[in-house]
Amino acid sequence: MIFRLLRLILVAMVAVAAQPSLDAMAQAIGHGSAQLIADQTKTIQDLTAKADGLEKKIGDPGEDDAGLVDIRLQLEDISRAALNSALAFRSRLNDINNRIEVLGPAPAQGQQEPAIVANERAALTAEKAEINAVVASAQNLSIRISGLVDKIATMRSELFRSVLTKRYELTDALSPQGFSDAHDQFTGLYKAVASWLTFALKFKFQAILAATLMALALAAVLLIGGRRLFGRIFEPNPSVEDPSYLSRLSVAFWSTLLPTAALVVFFASAVFFFNYYNVLRGDIGTFLNALLAVVAMVFCVNRLTNAALEPRLPNWRLIPVATDPARWLVRLATAMAVVLGFNYFLSVVNEKMGSPLSLTIARSFVATIIVGVILILMGSLRPFRAEDGSRRPWPAWLRFVAIGLGLSTIAAALLGYIGLALFVSVQVVVTGTTLVTAYIGFLSARAIGEEGGFADTSVGRWLSANSSYEDTALDQLGLVVSIAINLMIVLVFLPLILLMWGFQPGDIEAWAYKLATGVTIGSVTISVLGILTGIVVFAIGYFLTRWFQGWLDGSVMARGKVDTGVRNSIRLAVGYAGVALAGLVGISAAGIDLSNLALVAGALSLGIGFGLQNVVSNFVSGLILLAERPFKVGDWIVAGDVSGTVRKISVRATEIETFQRQSVILPNSNLINNAVGNWTHRNKLGRVDIKVGVAYGSDVRRVHALLLDIARGHPMVLKNPEPFALFANFGAAALEFEIRVFVADVMNGSIVQNDIRFAILNAFEDEHIEIPSTPRAVVETKKQESWPIDDDKIEVEFAERERLEAEAAVEQARLAKTKRRGRKPDPG
């Protein structure tokens, strides 16, 4: 209680002391907050009025599927705007809550607090209530819009079902009046197009010519660039008798995709420039768009069937069918596309010109009957050739599916279900073409991703001939290309398939927006766009780090004659720091709050306590090695039983290459905690020792002089420190000498030892100096004993053999000494 009273007194004193400045600040903050509340309240009211107008449109029976999708997109925009209005108060609400927390809880009943504190508390509470009211209005509007969106989804489903299940009477559509209506419509279409052409050629000829030429230029850039880039995989080569499956797949895919893309670019750019120069009229623009879409679809179907079946080049066919059935399949597929495309164009004309319903029914009826007949004909073909020369039909499941689809389409049309028949016909052609093209693309990507697949492509052969890429690098690049092709196929063909199955562009736009901004699963929000952004940022940071490492090592430290070990340590430190920084920036760019990584750090510390001590120990030891540098890359070290050259120092382990070319990976903690010998720590200067023995009775001073001359005469032996010959010991069988020489590079010690030993043999032979060999006791050869071998027995035999050899050496020395004195040996 006393502490509470003291705090209130202190707050009151501070408030009174700063009364003028606090009043001015409060007035400024209050005015800004009031303005913010007023602006967001007006925004919520405007959004609510828009939502009311869109809700009325939803109940309009004249709205079609595309109209409902447009209304849904507008409602979703309103919902996002309402939520953004609510988020505008986040900062102010945080300030209010923090200030109320500083003021402390309200006094209990019967207690009083300073007037200034009470007034501020009341003002903050009132402002918070106003803000909460605006936020609640925004949330209620968002909830209401969610209900309207669900209602639109239900209405669209019912509308789609009604289109497919609605039955029409065919008597009026197939009556003579229908033919008269068709004649009148074609007459009106002819007059509209003729009048526009007359006007356009007379007043807009230059604009039409310029727009057409620019569109042709864009298409030519794509087509010619594609031919130069893809080369052999663009068209089949007739001279190749047995092309690989990958080559056939690539040719089929790219020879379909690139010309179709060039044609689409030409049509799209032509329409764009026509509209830019005000060449097209409203109705003519609609007709032209529909006609160009039909031409592009027919062209794509024809290219795909020709690429897959290749009637002219049997060895390039993806499907091993006979030549005549291949030609018929191409013709029938193209005819089906022409029929459906013409039907779609006429539907646009009928809708624009307000044709009677009977004409629409008649047109769709004829088109679906023709498509059904074509499907039956395609299923009835015998495309395969048997060994005896006869023809075989399609596999049973494929034949039954094609004939069944054809019969069901004809039956649905005859029964009056024109919408269902037309829907099936369109999906067979358009969706089938799209799926076949995508499937060929997937097969091509899989073939490129296989081991050695990318190297067999023209691009792979070019890279192999004009770059330093090895087979492993080409395989890895092939995997990247395979993934890129798969992603491209999904991004291109998935929206096309969705559009063909009744979805609107607005649906795809909404899904793409949700996928990019974030998908909420429970309390976790996953943003694909954020994740991709983080990956891209990390990749850029990673490659910048590698480039900086190379530049620092090759351009700065190499010119500065920095030691190789120092360069390696600096390069590794820069690499680890750069990758860590790129990772942190990538995580932030992905939208992940780094403060949330505290949980991960806590789990990591727990793991260190239970089982990661060795990993952390090696990591810290690696940092110590890089900083302290007791040895560096290229040094000759001895660590326990391992001796060799240091090849790589990383933060976990050090790679040592032995002189037998074996790579030994030693944990860094072993190198820190145990003794390590470094032959080349400060310099490569080292001493080499060569031992040699001469027989008793030799002139030791002459031997000493010869050894010293040999050591001084070797070109690799240093003059300072000078060589030294040592009379080391009176051995059991010989007088032992030792040559000690210093070389500039201890790594050349074996060469020096080898040369000096050869020189010693030659000099001793010239001077008739004997190098004695130890007499060996004759050991009787016994039959090898079977396992197990008696170790104790072997040790006893070995000791006895050593004793006999020592006695023989002593006896030989005694005889040599007696001979020098001129006495006869004592027979005893």
Side-chain angles (χ1 to χ4, degrees):
M1 185 66 183
I2 295 175
F3 289 109
R4 174 178 173 77
L5 181 60
L6 290 175
R7 188 178 67 175
L8 290 176
I9 293 172
L10 181 61
V11 171
M13 291 175 62
V14 174
V16 170
Q19 182 74 28
S21 58
L22 286 175
D23 289 343
M25 186 180 300
Q27 289 178 2
I29 294 175
H31 177 72
S33 179
Q35 185 64 38
L36 179 62
I37 292 174
D39 292 342
Q40 297 305 323
T41 302
K42 180 66 168 57
T43 301
I44 297 299
Q45 291 175 353
D46 294 340
L47 294 176
T48 304
K50 291 181 181 179
D52 293 339
L54 293 175
E55 186 176 8
K56 293 179 181 179
K57 287 185 178 181
I58 293 175
D60 187 359
E63 287 292 343
D64 57 357
D65 188 67
L68 291 175
V69 172
D70 183 63
I71 293 173
R72 191 193 73 179
L73 292 176
Q74 295 183 48
L75 288 173
E76 290 177 347
D77 291 338
I78 293 173
S79 177
R80 285 192 289 268
L83 293 178
N84 289 333
S85 297
L87 292 176
F89 295 103
R90 176 183 293 176
S91 176
R92 182 55 185 160
L93 280 175
N94 290 333
D95 294 340
I96 292 174
N97 292 329
N98 293 333
R99 184 59 183 163
I100 292 176
E101 184 178 355
V102 171
L103 294 177
Q109 188 175 3
Q111 295 180 353
Q112 293 183 352
E113 62 182 351
I116 187 173
V117 177
N119 293 336
E120 185 177 1
R121 187 191 306 278
L124 292 173
T125 305
E127 184 182 352
K128 183 176 181 180
E130 293 180 2
I131 293 176
N132 288 334
V134 179
V135 172
S137 300
Q139 291 176 346
N140 292 334
L141 180 59
S142 179
I143 293 173
R144 176 188 171 194
I145 289 175
S146 297
L148 293 176
V149 170
D150 294 338
K151 182 179 178 181
I152 289 175
T154 304
M155 293 178 62
R156 291 183 63 200
S157 299
E158 294 177 353
L159 184 63
F160 182 71
R161 286 195 299 270
S162 65
V163 170
L164 295 183
T165 59
K166 187 174 182 179
R167 187 173 181 273
Y168 298 93
E169 294 294 335
L170 301 178
T171 54
D172 296 335
L174 300 179
S175 62
Q177 182 62 34
F179 293 98
S180 177
D181 293 337
H183 179 268
D184 294 341
Q185 179 168 308
F186 279 116
T187 302
L189 177 63
Y190 173 77
K191 291 181 179 179
V193 174
S195 63
W196 172 77
L197 278 177
T198 302
F199 167 79
L201 294 176
K202 186 175 182 180
F203 299 101
K204 297 285 185 178
F205 177 75
Q206 294 181 351
I208 293 175
L209 184 62
T212 304
L213 290 177
M214 285 188 288
L216 280 174
L218 291 176
V221 168
L222 179 60
L223 192 61
I224 296 174
R227 286 180 180 273
R228 292 183 62 86
L229 179 63
F230 295 99
R232 299 177 183 176
I233 63 175
F234 189 84
E235 290 182 351
N237 187 358
S239 61
V240 179
E241 297 181 357
D242 188 18
S244 64
Y245 184 63
L246 175 59
S247 300
R248 287 181 286 162
L249 282 173
S250 301
V251 168
F253 180 68
W254 293 109
S255 65
T256 301
L257 186 62
L258 286 179
T260 304
L263 186 65
V264 170
V265 168
F266 170 68
F267 287 162
S269 55
V271 171
F272 171 79
F273 288 125
F274 283 168
N275 289 323
Y276 180 79
Y277 290 115
N278 296 321
V279 174
L280 296 178
R281 217 167 53 195
D283 56 344
I284 298 299
T286 303
F287 297 155
L288 182 61
N289 289 333
L291 181 62
L292 295 182
V294 169
V295 173
M297 189 260 295
V298 173
F299 179 81
C300 179
V301 172
N302 182 263
R303 289 291 302 185
L304 177 61
T305 52
N306 272 292
L309 298 173
E310 276 297 342
R312 298 172 294 117
L313 301 173
N315 51 335
W316 283 91
R317 286 177 194 155
L318 287 177
I319 305 174
V321 298
T323 301
D324 289 341
R327 292 195 183 98
W328 275 108
L329 286 172
V330 172
R331 294 167 186 166
L332 291 174
T334 306
M336 189 185 303
V338 170
V339 170
L340 289 178
F342 188 65
N343 177 69
Y344 169 74
F345 175 73
L346 291 181
S347 68
V348 175
V349 173
N350 291 342
E351 182 179 357
K352 195 67 178 178
M353 301 185 67
S355 302
L357 179 61
S358 59
L359 187 59
T360 301
I361 296 173
R363 165 184 53 78
S364 301
F365 175 80
V366 174
T368 52
I369 292 295
I370 295 176
V371 170
V373 173
I374 292 176
L375 284 174
I376 294 174
L377 291 176
M378 293 176 70
S380 302
L381 287 175
R382 294 177 172 269
F384 302 108
R385 190 181 299 278
E387 295 180 357
D388 57 357
S390 60
R391 294 287 180 84
R392 292 187 296 105
W394 296 103
W397 67 271
L398 185 59
R399 183 171 70 256
F400 292 150
V401 168
I403 296 176
L405 285 174
L407 292 176
S408 61
T409 301
I410 295 174
L414 292 175
L415 294 175
Y417 295 101
I418 303 298
L420 177 61
L422 187 61
F423 179 79
V424 173
S425 302
V426 171
Q427 300 315 316
V428 167
V429 176
V430 181
T431 306
T433 302
T434 305
L435 288 176
V436 170
T437 306
Y439 183 65
I440 292 175
F442 283 128
L443 291 177
S444 301
R446 186 176 67 180
I448 290 174
E450 292 180 353
E451 184 175 1
F454 184 71
D456 291 336
T457 63
S458 59
V459 177
R461 288 190 291 269
W462 182 86
L463 287 176
S464 179
N466 297 276
S467 66
S468 59
Y469 285 115
E470 298 180 355
D471 293 340
T472 303
L474 289 176
D475 279 340
Q476 295 173 351
L477 186 59
L479 290 176
V480 175
V481 173
S482 175
I483 295 173
I485 293 176
N486 286 325
L487 289 177
M488 182 191 69
I489 293 170
V490 171
L491 294 177
V492 171
F493 290 99
L494 183 59
L496 292 177
I497 294 174
L498 293 176
L499 291 175
M500 292 304 103
W501 280 84
F503 294 95
Q504 298 294 331
D507 295 322
I508 301 174
E509 179 184 348
W511 293 338
Y513 180 83
K514 289 181 179 179
L515 194 64
T517 55
V519 178
T520 302
I521 302 175
S523 60
V524 179
T525 301
I526 300 175
S527 174
V528 177
L529 182 61
I531 293 174
L532 292 177
T533 303
I535 293 174
V536 171
V537 170
F538 174 76
I540 293 174
Y542 177 81
F543 286 111
L544 284 177
T545 300
R546 292 292 180 248
W547 170 82
F548 182 74
Q549 277 184 292
W551 174 80
L552 182 65
D553 184 43
S555 300
V556 177
M557 293 188 291
R559 293 182 181 180
K561 307 299 182 183
V562 181
D563 183 74
T564 305
V566 177
R567 290 168 56 183
N568 179 72
S569 299
I570 295 175
R571 185 173 63 250
L572 287 176
V574 170
Y576 288 127
V579 171
L581 181 61
L584 293 176
V585 175
I587 291 174
S588 299
I592 300 174
D593 189 1
L594 293 178
S595 62
N596 294 332
L597 297 179
L599 181 62
V600 178
L604 183 61
S605 62
L606 184 63
I608 292 172
F610 278 99
L612 298 179
Q613 297 98 328
N614 291 334
V615 175
V616 175
S617 175
N618 289 326
F619 179 78
V620 175
S621 300
L623 297 180
I624 294 174
L625 290 176
L626 291 174
E628 186 179 317
R629 297 180 58 248
F631 53 82
K632 56 188 180 295
V633 174
D635 282 357
W636 173 16
I637 68 172
V638 178
D641 297 333
V642 180
S643 175
T645 305
V646 178
R647 292 304 180 194
K648 182 179 179 182
I649 305 174
S650 61
V651 293
R652 191 200 68 83
T654 297
E655 179 184 345
I656 300 174
E657 184 179 289
T658 65
F659 297 106
Q660 291 79 26
R661 300 300 181 184
Q662 179 190 28
S663 294
V664 179
I665 310 300
L666 282 180
N668 289 330
S669 59
N670 292 356
L671 301 173
I672 290 292
N673 298 327
N674 300 321
V676 178
N678 191 345
W679 284 91
T680 56
H681 181 47
R682 291 183 175 85
N683 52 57
K684 294 186 178 182
L685 179 66
R687 195 184 80 180
V688 177
D689 299 339
I690 304 102
K691 296 181 180 180
V692 63
V694 298
Y696 278 90
S698 301
D699 187 353
V700 293
R701 295 192 180 277
R702 179 57 180 165
V703 171
H704 182 271
L706 285 174
L707 295 178
L708 199 56
D709 290 342
I710 292 172
R712 290 172 178 173
H714 196 281
M716 290 188 180
V717 174
L718 297 178
K719 301 298 186 290
N720 186 23
E722 63 177 352
F724 181 73
L726 175 67
F727 187 1
N729 190 24
F730 293 97
L735 301 173
E736 297 175 357
F737 287 81
E738 184 175 333
I739 299 177
R740 297 175 181 176
V741 297
F742 289 86
V743 292
D745 188 351
V746 73
M747 304 298 290
N748 296 326
S750 298
I751 300 175
V752 173
Q753 287 178 331
N754 187 64
D755 294 343
I756 289 179
R757 288 190 178 105
F758 275 115
I760 290 173
L761 283 177
N762 294 333
F764 282 9
E765 184 178 355
D766 294 340
E767 296 288 335
H768 304 288
I769 298 174
E770 180 184 0
I771 300 177
S773 60
T774 302
R776 290 175 171 79
V778 179
V779 180
E780 183 181 356
T781 304
K782 298 182 179 180
K783 184 178 180 181
Q784 185 176 1
E785 298 181 2
S786 59
W787 292 94
I789 298 175
D790 190 349
D791 295 337
D792 295 336
K793 182 178 179 181
I794 293 177
E795 291 180 359
V796 170
E797 293 179 352
F798 184 74
E800 181 66 19
R801 185 167 63 249
E802 285 187 339
R803 187 183 65 81
L804 293 176
E805 290 176 355
E807 290 179 354
V810 171
E811 180 65 20
Q812 184 179 5
R814 189 178 67 82
L815 291 175
K817 185 176 180 181
T818 302
K819 182 178 180 180
R820 287 198 303 271
R821 291 178 179 178
R823 294 184 304 170
K824 294 183 179 181
D826 186 2

